[in-house]
């Protein structure tokens, strides 16, 4: 069974940092692209970042470029999202997505508030 299990969400103050993890089982992510999305209540799901593990290529939404970093640990079969300089508009449920499988993680809540 393909499963994506997320962790690392929580409450953080503006300007703070948070690292999300997505542990993947059922297939090796080293040969597949992986993505992060987010969705706030009442808003459409928004693409955040994507990584191509084999090439190391990464892409980011303009709203997070320069602040977020997506990375992979192949040995742990885990994808990360390092979030720095967080602002209130980053508040959302963050989802891990495997486009080659069509599978989503369960989502983890990130709240940025003072």
């Amino acid at each position: 069974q393909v499963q994506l299990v997320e962790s690392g969400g929580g409450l953080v103050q503006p300007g703070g940092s948070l690292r999300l993890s997505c542990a993947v089982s059922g297939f090796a992510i080293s040969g597949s692209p992986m993505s992060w999305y987010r969705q706030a209540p009442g808003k459409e799901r928004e693409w955040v970042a994507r990584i191509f593990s084999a090439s190391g290529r990464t892409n980011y939404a303009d709203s997070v470029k320069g602040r977020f970093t997506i990375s992979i640990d192949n040995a742990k079969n885990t994808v990360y999202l390092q979030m720095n300089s967080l602002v209130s508009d980053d508040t959302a449920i963050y989802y891990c997505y495997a486009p080659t499988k069509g599978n989503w993680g369960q989502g983890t809540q990130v709240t940025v508030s003072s």
Side-chain angles (χ1 to χ4, degrees):
Q1 180 183 2
V2 174
Q3 189 171 8
L4 284 60
V5 180
E6 299 165 330
S7 62
L11 175 65
V12 63
Q13 293 186 350
S17 298
L18 208 60
R19 187 182 71 169
L20 307 182
S21 300
C22 175
V24 179
S25 60
F27 75 100
I29 64 175
S30 60
S32 303
M34 294 292 296
S35 298
W36 285 95
Y37 287 77
R38 67 186 182 185
Q39 186 170 19
K43 298 182 65 177
E44 294 291 324
R45 182 182 61 192
E46 175 189 21
W47 170 77
V48 174
R50 184 180 186 182
I51 184 167
F52 301 81
S53 180
S55 66
R57 180 182 179 184
T58 58
N59 300 94
Y60 300 92
D62 288 341
S63 58
V64 307
K65 191 174 298 182
R67 301 187 298 118
F68 290 13
T69 303
I70 186 171
S71 62
I72 281 180
D73 186 332
N74 287 321
K76 296 181 178 180
N77 214 44
T78 299
V79 59
Y80 302 93
L81 186 68
Q82 178 67 47
M83 305 182 294
N84 299 326
S85 302
L86 287 163
V87 297
S88 60
D89 285 348
D90 295 320
T91 297
I93 301 176
Y94 284 71
Y95 298 93
C96 189
Y97 179 60
T100 60
K101 301 294 183 180
N103 284 71
W104 296 86
Q106 79 284 357
T108 185
Q109 177 70 50
V110 172
T111 302
V112 184
S113 177
S114 59

